[in-house]
Amino acid sequence: MTEQELVIDAIRRLNRSGIAYLLTGAMASNYWGIPRTTHDLDFVVQLPVESIPKLLHEFGDDFYLDEQAVRAALAPPYQFNAIDKRSAFKIDFWTLRSDRFEMSMFERRLTVNLLGEHTWIVTAEDVILSKLRWDSLTPSERQVGDAAGVVAVQSDSLDSAYLRKWADELGLREKLDNLLSGEIKPKTT
């Protein structure tokens, strides 16, 4: 199974499950910005306890997915993995927290056609903010480079008022200003 086939497969399974989700991480920054290779998928899922059996059913056959890990993800660190048995690719699932920024990000998600599939995806602005937020927790050129790639591609269409509002609330204003001014440039390969 190729990475592209895994993306399609995972999206189809989530759509069938009826679980509210959004695609985030590197695949979302690839969609909105300058693509790079990645070997995992990241989804944020709204996962009430009663939806856990649906998720386990949809991913149970071709994935290693531990029910206890899924249930434990309803509390910190709010994360579990599914490993594709066919390819060994990993899907990271993050359960939606009641954090104001995460709630805003989830409410703003968009539906797009990705690889022929109806897909819920994080907005370009929220990719930028998420990448900067991750970089502030665990500094990484990859996170900042992804954010810069989204700015480079989406520059004129970005909602700068939204970006600045959340950058101020999240303590990311200096990093955001450096991105928007072009001081931080996307990586080129």
Side-chain angles (χ1 to χ4, degrees), residues 135-185:
D135 179 66
S136 69
L137 297 171
T138 308
S140 164
E141 286 184 33
R142 179 176 288 170
Q143 301 293 343
V144 175
D146 285 350
V150 175
V151 169
V153 173
Q154 301 296 326
S155 61
D156 292 338
S157 64
L158 293 171
D159 182 342
S160 59
Y162 178 85
L163 283 168
R164 286 188 171 91
K165 170 195 177 289
W166 280 107
D168 287 343
E169 286 195 36
L170 298 169
L172 303 170
R173 186 60 182 261
E174 184 178 342
K175 285 183 182 184
L176 177 67
D177 288 345
N178 291 339
L179 270 178
L180 296 178
S181 71
E183 285 182 48
I184 299 174
K185 303 211 180 302

Side-chain angles (χ1 to χ4, degrees), residues 24-42:
T24 189
M27 289 302 293
S29 64
N30 286 351
Y31 181 84
W32 294 113
I34 298 171
R36 69 168 170 86
T37 57
T38 182
H39 295 290
D40 68 352
L41 296 173
D42 297 289

Side-chain angles (χ1 to χ4, degrees), residues 11 14-15 18-24 28 32 42-44 106-114 117-123:
I11 290 168
L14 283 167
N15 286 339
I19 294 169
Y21 73 91
L22 66 79
L23 177 65
T24 189
W32 294 113
D42 297 289
F43 290 97
V44 174
F106 205 80
E107 289 170 7
R108 288 172 38 90
R109 67 193 170 127
L110 301 171
T111 183
V112 299
N113 182 322
L114 180 67
E117 297 299 321
H118 163 84
T119 307
W120 290 98
I121 192 168
V122 66
T123 66

Side-chain angles (χ1 to χ4, degrees), residues 33-34 53 57 88 97 109 115 183 188:
I34 298 171
H57 172 75
R97 299 180 303 159
R109 67 193 170 127
L115 303 172
E183 285 182 48
T188 56

Side-chain angles (χ1 to χ4, degrees), residues 65-86:
L65 181 61
D66 182 70
E67 182 175 354
Q68 286 181 299
V70 175
R71 291 184 183 284
L74 299 176
Y78 303 103
Q79 191 264 342
F80 63 94
N81 301 317
I83 308 296
D84 180 35
K85 295 175 186 175
R86 302 157 295 180

Side-chain angles (χ1 to χ4, degrees), residues 19-20 45-53 55 70-71 73-74 80 95-96:
I19 294 169
V45 291
Q46 191 172 37
L47 194 62
V49 173
E50 61 272 12
S51 294
I52 291 173
L55 183 83
V70 175
R71 291 184 183 284
L74 299 176
F80 63 94
T95 57
L96 181 63

